[in-house]
Amino acid sequence: MKITVNGITHELLNEHLALTLIDYLREVLDLTGTKNGCSIGVCGACTVLSDMKVIKSCKKTVLECVDANILTIEGMQSSDGQLHPLQQSFMDAGAIQCGFCTPGMVLTAHAFLSVNPNPTRVQIRKAINANLCRCTGYQQIIDAIYNAQEHYKSIKK
């Protein structure tokens, strides 16, 4: 059995199958960008993408993700280390304070903008409603996502 994470395919050992996806990512693959905020799937800090769909990695087992293509925050940047335009937009808009929610917010926004590259601010607010932030008050996050639209419009053409 296999799982692909950030473009790299990994053979799964039997002992990995019962792990939560977040534990596999953090403890086995040492991808610590995915955060564990609540362990019950309500805060969104552990959000990753599975085949470009938003999932809470604290609620999924590795077994449930066999053969999936998982994208974590580490997989967003380019191979030369340059930030993805959405990540840069978060930086530019001041949408990062403590940073704990940021990976989940960025991945949620990435999935959303990939299918809706021209959203309104209301649509953005609805798209991120399952991700909690305790620092920014959301306005900077919405600004960052709104400002990143141009990148997604250009790749949709």
Side-chain angles (χ1 to χ4, degrees):
M1 287 188 262
K2 299 176 183 176
I3 189 171
T4 302
V5 179
N6 300 330
I8 300 168
T9 301
H10 302 271
E11 290 286 335
L12 294 168
L13 303 176
N14 282 335
E15 66 246 29
H16 296 154
L17 298 178
L19 292 173
T20 60
L21 181 59
I22 192 168
D23 288 341
Y24 177 75
L25 295 171
R26 292 180 60 83
E27 296 171 18
V28 177
L29 299 184
D30 200 30
L31 296 172
T32 57
T34 303
K35 306 300 183 205
N36 191 345
C38 69
S39 298
I40 58 172
V42 297
C43 75
C46 70
T47 299
V48 297
L49 303 184
S50 177
D51 299 318
M52 285 304 287
K53 293 188 179 12
V54 172
I55 64 166
K56 307 288 177 67
S57 64
C58 74
K59 297 295 290 177
K60 294 283 186 184
T61 65
V62 172
L63 181 61
E64 293 174 285
C65 298
V66 168
D67 295 329
N69 288 302
I70 304 296
L71 179 65
T72 71
I73 195 67
E74 292 90 346
M76 290 287 293
Q77 67 185 14
S78 63
S79 59
D80 66 1
Q82 184 175 347
L83 293 178
H84 185 278
L86 179 58
Q87 290 174 302
Q88 188 62 53
S89 186
F90 267 68
M91 297 284 293
D92 295 345
I96 300 170
Q97 287 189 26
C98 84
F100 201 81
C101 73
T102 305
M105 287 283 189
V106 168
L107 288 161
T108 297
H110 180 58
F112 173 67
L113 290 172
S114 293
V115 297
N116 185 358
N118 194 28
T120 66
R121 289 178 183 275
V122 171
Q123 290 171 320
I124 293 168
R125 186 176 298 277
K126 287 180 182 176
I128 63 168
N129 73 353
N131 295 76
L132 302 178
C133 174
R134 295 182 180 162
C135 299
T136 70
Y138 295 95
Q139 192 55 52
Q140 296 93 323
I141 294 169
I142 293 165
D143 290 345
I145 297 167
Y146 188 83
N147 295 340
Q149 290 183 62
E150 291 306 315
H151 168 74
Y152 290 88
K153 288 179 195 174
S154 70
I155 59 176
K156 273 296 219 195
K157 291 180 179 179

Coordinates of all heavy atoms in Angstrom, one line a residue, residues 1 4-5 7-8 31 39 48 67 73-74 76 80 84 90 92 95-96 102 108-110 126 128-129 142 144:
M1 N 0.8 -1.2 0.0 CA 0.0 0.0 0.0 C 0.9 1.2 0.0 O 1.9 1.2 0.6 CB -0.9 0.0 1.2 CG -2.0 -1.0 1.1 SD -3.2 -0.8 2.4 CE -2.6 -2.1 3.5
T4 N 0.9 9.1 -1.5 CA 1.7 10.1 -2.1 C 1.5 11.4 -1.3 O 0.4 11.9 -1.1 CB 1.4 10.3 -3.6 OG1 1.5 9.1 -4.2 CG2 2.3 11.4 -4.2
V5 N 2.6 12.0 -0.8 CA 2.6 13.2 0.0 C 3.5 14.2 -0.7 O 4.7 13.9 -0.8 CB 3.0 12.9 1.5 CG1 3.0 14.2 2.3 CG2 2.1 11.9 2.1
G7 N 3.9 15.0 -3.6 CA 4.5 14.5 -4.9 C 5.4 13.3 -4.7 O 6.0 12.8 -5.7
I8 N 5.7 12.9 -3.5 CA 6.6 11.8 -3.2 C 5.8 10.6 -2.7 O 5.0 10.7 -1.8 CB 7.6 12.1 -2.1 CG1 8.5 13.3 -2.6 CG2 8.5 10.9 -1.8 CD1 9.3 13.9 -1.5
L31 N 6.9 16.0 8.7 CA 6.3 17.2 8.1 C 5.5 17.9 9.2 O 4.3 17.6 9.4 CB 5.4 16.8 6.9 CG 6.2 16.2 5.7 CD1 5.2 15.6 4.7 CD2 7.2 17.2 5.1
S39 N -7.6 17.9 17.9 CA -7.7 16.5 17.8 C -9.1 15.9 17.6 O -9.3 14.7 17.7 CB -7.1 15.8 19.0 OG -5.8 16.1 19.2
V48 N -5.3 19.4 5.5 CA -4.5 19.1 4.4 C -5.4 18.8 3.2 O -6.6 18.8 3.4 CB -3.6 17.9 4.6 CG1 -2.6 18.2 5.8 CG2 -4.3 16.6 4.9
D67 N -3.5 5.3 -1.3 CA -3.5 5.7 -2.7 C -3.9 7.2 -3.0 O -4.1 7.6 -4.1 CB -4.4 4.8 -3.6 CG -3.9 3.4 -3.6 OD1 -2.7 3.2 -3.6 OD2 -4.7 2.4 -3.7
I73 N 1.3 21.9 3.7 CA 1.8 23.2 3.5 C 3.2 23.2 3.0 O 3.6 24.0 2.2 CB 1.7 24.0 4.8 CG1 1.9 25.5 4.5 CG2 2.7 23.5 5.9 CD1 0.8 26.2 3.7
E74 N 4.0 22.1 3.3 CA 5.4 22.0 2.8 C 5.4 21.8 1.3 O 6.4 22.2 0.7 CB 6.1 20.8 3.5 CG 6.4 21.1 5.0 CD 5.4 20.6 5.9 OE1 4.2 20.3 5.5 OE2 5.6 20.5 7.1
M76 N 3.4 23.3 -0.8 CA 3.0 24.4 -1.6 C 4.1 25.2 -2.2 O 3.9 25.8 -3.3 CB 2.2 25.4 -0.6 CG 0.8 24.8 -0.2 SD -0.4 24.9 -1.5 CE -0.7 26.6 -1.7
D80 N 12.5 25.3 -5.5 CA 13.6 26.2 -5.2 C 13.4 26.9 -3.9 O 14.2 27.8 -3.5 CB 13.9 27.2 -6.3 CG 12.8 28.2 -6.5 OD1 11.8 28.2 -5.8 OD2 13.0 29.0 -7.5
H84 N 4.6 29.8 -2.6 CA 3.5 29.8 -3.5 C 2.9 31.2 -3.5 O 2.9 31.9 -2.4 CB 2.5 28.8 -3.1 CG 1.4 28.6 -4.0 ND1 0.3 29.4 -4.0 CD2 1.1 27.7 -5.0 CE1 -0.6 29.1 -4.9 NE2 -0.1 28.0 -5.5
F90 N -0.5 35.8 1.9 CA -0.7 35.8 3.3 C 0.3 36.7 4.0 O 0.0 37.4 4.9 CB -0.7 34.4 3.9 CG -2.0 33.7 4.0 CD1 -2.7 33.4 2.8 CD2 -2.6 33.4 5.2 CE1 -4.0 32.8 2.9 CE2 -3.9 32.8 5.3 CZ -4.6 32.5 4.1
D92 N 2.1 39.2 2.7 CA 1.9 40.6 2.3 C 0.7 41.2 2.9 O 0.8 42.4 3.2 CB 1.8 40.7 0.7 CG 3.0 40.2 0.0 OD1 4.1 40.1 0.6 OD2 2.9 40.0 -1.2
A95 N -1.6 38.4 7.2 CA -2.5 37.4 7.6 C -1.9 36.4 8.5 O -2.6 35.4 8.8 CB -3.2 36.8 6.4
I96 N -0.7 36.6 9.0 CA 0.0 35.7 9.9 C 0.4 36.4 11.1 O 1.1 37.4 11.1 CB 1.2 35.1 9.2 CG1 0.8 34.4 7.9 CG2 2.0 34.2 10.1 CD1 2.0 34.0 7.0
T102 N -2.4 29.1 10.1 CA -2.0 29.5 8.7 C -1.9 28.3 7.7 O -2.5 28.4 6.6 CB -0.7 30.3 8.7 OG1 -0.9 31.4 9.6 CG2 -0.4 30.8 7.3
T108 N -6.9 25.3 2.7 CA -8.3 25.5 2.5 C -8.6 26.5 1.3 O -9.3 26.3 0.4 CB -9.1 25.9 3.7 OG1 -8.9 24.9 4.7 CG2 -10.6 26.2 3.5
A109 N -7.8 27.6 1.4 CA -8.0 28.6 0.4 C -7.5 28.1 -1.0 O -8.1 28.4 -2.0 CB -7.2 29.9 0.8
H110 N -6.4 27.4 -1.0 CA -5.9 26.8 -2.2 C -6.9 25.9 -2.9 O -7.1 26.0 -4.1 CB -4.6 26.0 -1.9 CG -3.9 25.4 -3.1 ND1 -3.5 26.1 -4.2 CD2 -3.6 24.1 -3.4 CE1 -3.0 25.3 -5.1 NE2 -3.0 24.1 -4.6
K126 N -17.2 32.2 3.6 CA -17.9 31.0 3.8 C -16.9 29.8 3.6 O -17.0 28.8 4.2 CB -19.0 30.9 2.8 CG -20.2 31.7 3.2 CD -21.4 31.6 2.2 CE -22.5 32.5 2.6 NZ -23.6 32.5 1.6
I128 N -13.8 29.5 4.3 CA -12.8 29.3 5.4 C -13.6 29.1 6.7 O -12.9 29.1 7.8 CB -11.8 30.4 5.5 CG1 -12.4 31.8 5.8 CG2 -10.9 30.4 4.2 CD1 -11.4 32.8 6.2
N129 N -14.9 29.0 6.7 CA -15.6 29.0 8.0 C -15.3 27.8 8.9 O -15.6 27.8 10.1 CB -17.1 29.1 7.8 CG -17.8 27.9 7.2 OD1 -17.1 26.9 6.9 ND2 -19.1 27.9 7.1
I142 N -8.9 37.1 4.8 CA -9.8 37.3 3.6 C -9.2 38.2 2.6 O -9.2 37.9 1.4 CB -11.2 37.9 4.1 CG1 -11.9 36.8 5.0 CG2 -12.0 38.3 2.9 CD1 -13.1 37.4 5.7
A144 N -5.9 38.4 2.1 CA -4.9 37.6 1.4 C -5.4 36.7 0.4 O -4.9 36.6 -0.7 CB -4.1 36.8 2.5

